[in-house]
């Protein structure tokens, strides 16, 4: 609001941390009692950058370095909230603070290692602060887990009955694939009037 100004031409400006204001010209007539002035305002941007943008899940607590940069007034410290949409792959601090007088701050990003065999996964990182537009960055986390070799177990029965196991339910002939090193227990169930005589082939135990 403008009150008590004499007749004339004025330029109205405003300021607030995190915002960019445009000046506005105002003309006051001799009969003006009160004038409201609309000043265009734009939120200042936050810029989020990451180096490198692709890293392995095995890279640990210092997998990448991120930088958040602000524009405009730097006289006050600025606290920034951080988040990731893939916390199972990328961990960030909850907040970081750009010190007063500084335009930016660096922080480490952690890669989360697991035992899941999967292709690389992307994570979208978000930096937010009141009065600023969001900083957004996408990174890719590659997998360091290798699938074990697989082998096919083939079971053949002679006579009447079934052989079962995880992934197997055999009558006369069947096969299933298992990971290397996996223990497979076979159970033979003879039909009425039949009995198990013996196991043959690559069995560790003929029980």
């Amino acid at each position: 609001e403008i009150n008590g100004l004499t007749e004339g031409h004025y330029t109205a400006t405003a300021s607030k941390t995190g915002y960019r204001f445009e000046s506005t010209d105002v003309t006051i007539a001799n009969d003006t009692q009160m004038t409201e002035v609309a000043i265009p305002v734009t939120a200042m941007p936050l810029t989020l950058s990451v180096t490198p943008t692709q890293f392995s899940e095995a890279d640990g607590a210092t997998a990448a370095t991120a930088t958040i940069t602000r524009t405009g007034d730097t006289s006050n410290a600025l606290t920034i909230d951080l988040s990731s949409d893939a916390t199972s792959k990328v961990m960030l601090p909850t907040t970081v603070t750009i010190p007063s007088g500084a335009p930016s701050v660096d922080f480490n990003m952690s890669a989360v290692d697991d035992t899941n065999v999967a292709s690389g996964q992307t994570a979208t990182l978000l930096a937010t602060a009141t009065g600023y537009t969001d900083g957004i960055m996408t990174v890719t986390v590659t997998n360091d887990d290798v699938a074990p070799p697989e082998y096919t177990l083939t079971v053949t029965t002679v006579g009447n009955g079934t052989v079962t196991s995880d992934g197997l339910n055999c009558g006369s002939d069947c096969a299933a694939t298992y990971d290397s090193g996996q223990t497979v227990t076979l159970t033979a169930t003879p039909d009425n009037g039949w009995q198990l005589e013996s196991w043959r082939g690559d069995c560790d135990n003929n029980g």
Side-chain angles (χ1 to χ4, degrees):
E1 295 180 355
I2 300 175
N3 290 302
L5 293 180
T6 60
E7 180 179 0
H9 183 79
Y10 296 87
T11 299
T13 61
S15 63
K16 183 178 181 181
T17 299
Y19 293 89
R20 181 175 64 246
F21 291 83
E22 306 294 340
S23 60
T24 298
D25 293 332
V26 181
T27 299
I28 306 297
N30 57 10
D31 59 350
T32 299
Q33 298 298 316
M34 179 173 66
T35 302
E36 293 184 354
V37 178
I39 301 177
V41 57
T42 303
M44 301 296 283
L46 287 176
T47 302
L48 175 60
S49 60
V50 179
T51 304
T53 57
Q54 178 173 306
F55 46 86
S56 169
E57 66 178 7
D59 289 340
T62 56
T65 300
T67 301
I68 298 178
T69 304
R70 61 176 168 176
T71 54
D73 182 17
T74 63
S75 58
N76 296 314
L78 178 66
T79 299
I80 299 165
D81 295 321
L82 302 174
S83 62
S84 164
D85 69 351
T87 55
S88 62
K89 285 298 181 182
V90 177
M91 294 293 291
L92 306 174
T94 304
T95 62
V96 294
T97 299
I98 300 179
S100 59
S104 62
V105 65
D106 296 336
F107 61 93
N108 288 330
M109 295 169 41
S110 301
V112 180
D113 204 353
D114 57 32
T115 58
N116 297 327
V117 179
S119 58
Q121 181 175 342
T122 60
T124 300
L125 316 177
L126 182 65
T128 62
T130 301
Y132 290 81
T133 58
D134 297 343
I136 301 174
M137 186 70 187
T138 299
V139 298
T140 300
V141 184
T142 58
N143 201 297
D144 68 337
D145 299 300
V146 178
E150 295 181 333
Y151 297 94
T152 299
L153 171 64
T154 301
V155 176
T156 302
T157 61
V158 178
N160 294 342
T162 59
V163 175
T164 58
S165 184
D166 182 24
L168 278 171
N169 189 357
C170 305
S172 60
D173 189 33
C174 66
T177 302
Y178 299 95
D179 292 338
S180 175
Q182 181 177 351
T183 298
V184 179
T185 300
L186 300 176
T187 302
T189 305
D191 286 349
N192 290 335
W194 295 80
Q195 65 180 14
L196 175 63
E197 181 180 284
S198 64
W199 293 97
R200 298 177 185 174
D202 297 322
C203 293
D204 291 335
N205 189 332
N206 289 336

